Amino acid sequence: MRVSRSFSFRALSVLLVSLVASVAFAQGKDESKTPVLSRAQFDQLLAKPEQLLIIDLRRPDELTAIGGLPVYLSIQAADLEKSLAWIPKDRKIVTVSNHAGRAGKAGDLLAAKGFNVVGRVGVQNYEAEGGKLTKIAPKAPAEQQKNAQAATQH
């Protein structure tokens, strides 16, 4: 009986530690200083497009699978630092990723380099709050495009 109680206690301890670790891992640590914008805050900024620059850090396959915003500057997260020279400094900047994780890191980098970063948005969070995304159709392969052009010329 003593063996089974000891085993049960150990098993329960291991299970508890595993559960706590998995919850901590799933939540992740978001240490970004760039604030996450709500749908209402982001929509307010979108109402003045001449003052805003949206930098979308997602891969092309993410844009086509999930959707995006009508106008944005697409820069892969890995290419952001080498793209700083051609990012305008005279606009408010909102960084975008799927759930605002990459957007936070990018926002912090841009702010440290003197850009006016006002926040970050996760497009999937934005859509879940009722925001509208633009669905982006991938380009047809080059061969299909050639065949379509040839068909219209005949």
Side-chain angles (χ1 to χ4, degrees):
M1 197 149 160
R2 183 178 272 187
V3 172
S4 65
R5 280 188 188 172
S6 175
F7 177 75
S8 295
F9 180 72
R10 274 194 199 139
L12 183 60
S13 296
V14 169
L15 181 63
L16 185 58
V17 168
S18 297
L19 180 62
V20 169
S22 65
V23 168
F25 180 74
Q27 288 177 345
K29 265 195 151 182
D30 184 359
E31 297 176 358
S32 175
K33 295 176 186 172
T34 303
V36 175
L37 301 175
S38 68
R39 175 190 169 207
Q41 291 169 315
F42 188 47
D43 284 346
Q44 198 171 32
L45 291 166
L46 288 172
K48 297 179 182 174
E50 69 282 356
Q51 298 174 7
L52 186 64
L53 174 63
I54 299 166
I55 299 178
D56 196 320
L57 300 143
R58 298 175 300 148
R59 298 181 317 269
D61 63 300
E62 293 173 298
L63 286 163
T64 55
I66 298 165
L69 301 159
V71 177
Y72 58 88
L73 178 58
S74 179
I75 303 174
Q76 300 291 293
D79 297 331
L80 184 60
E81 195 152 10
K82 57 187 168 190
S83 302
L84 295 176
W86 50 272
I87 298 173
K89 285 194 171 186
D90 63 340
R91 292 188 179 206
K92 295 175 183 176
I93 295 177
V94 174
T95 54
V96 174
S97 60
N98 289 330
H99 294 287
R102 283 175 281 178
K105 291 176 186 173
D108 290 354
L109 171 73
L110 291 167
K113 300 291 184 178
F115 292 89
N116 182 17
V117 179
V118 295
R120 60 183 162 140
V121 172
V123 291
Q124 290 179 308
N125 304 342
Y126 176 72
E127 186 176 42
E129 290 180 27
K132 300 294 179 207
L133 298 181
T134 301
K135 298 303 177 184
I136 301 165
K139 268 185 147 180
E143 189 62 33
Q144 274 184 324
Q145 288 179 354
K146 266 188 190 177
N147 293 341
Q149 285 177 343
T152 59
Q153 292 175 355
H154 293 299

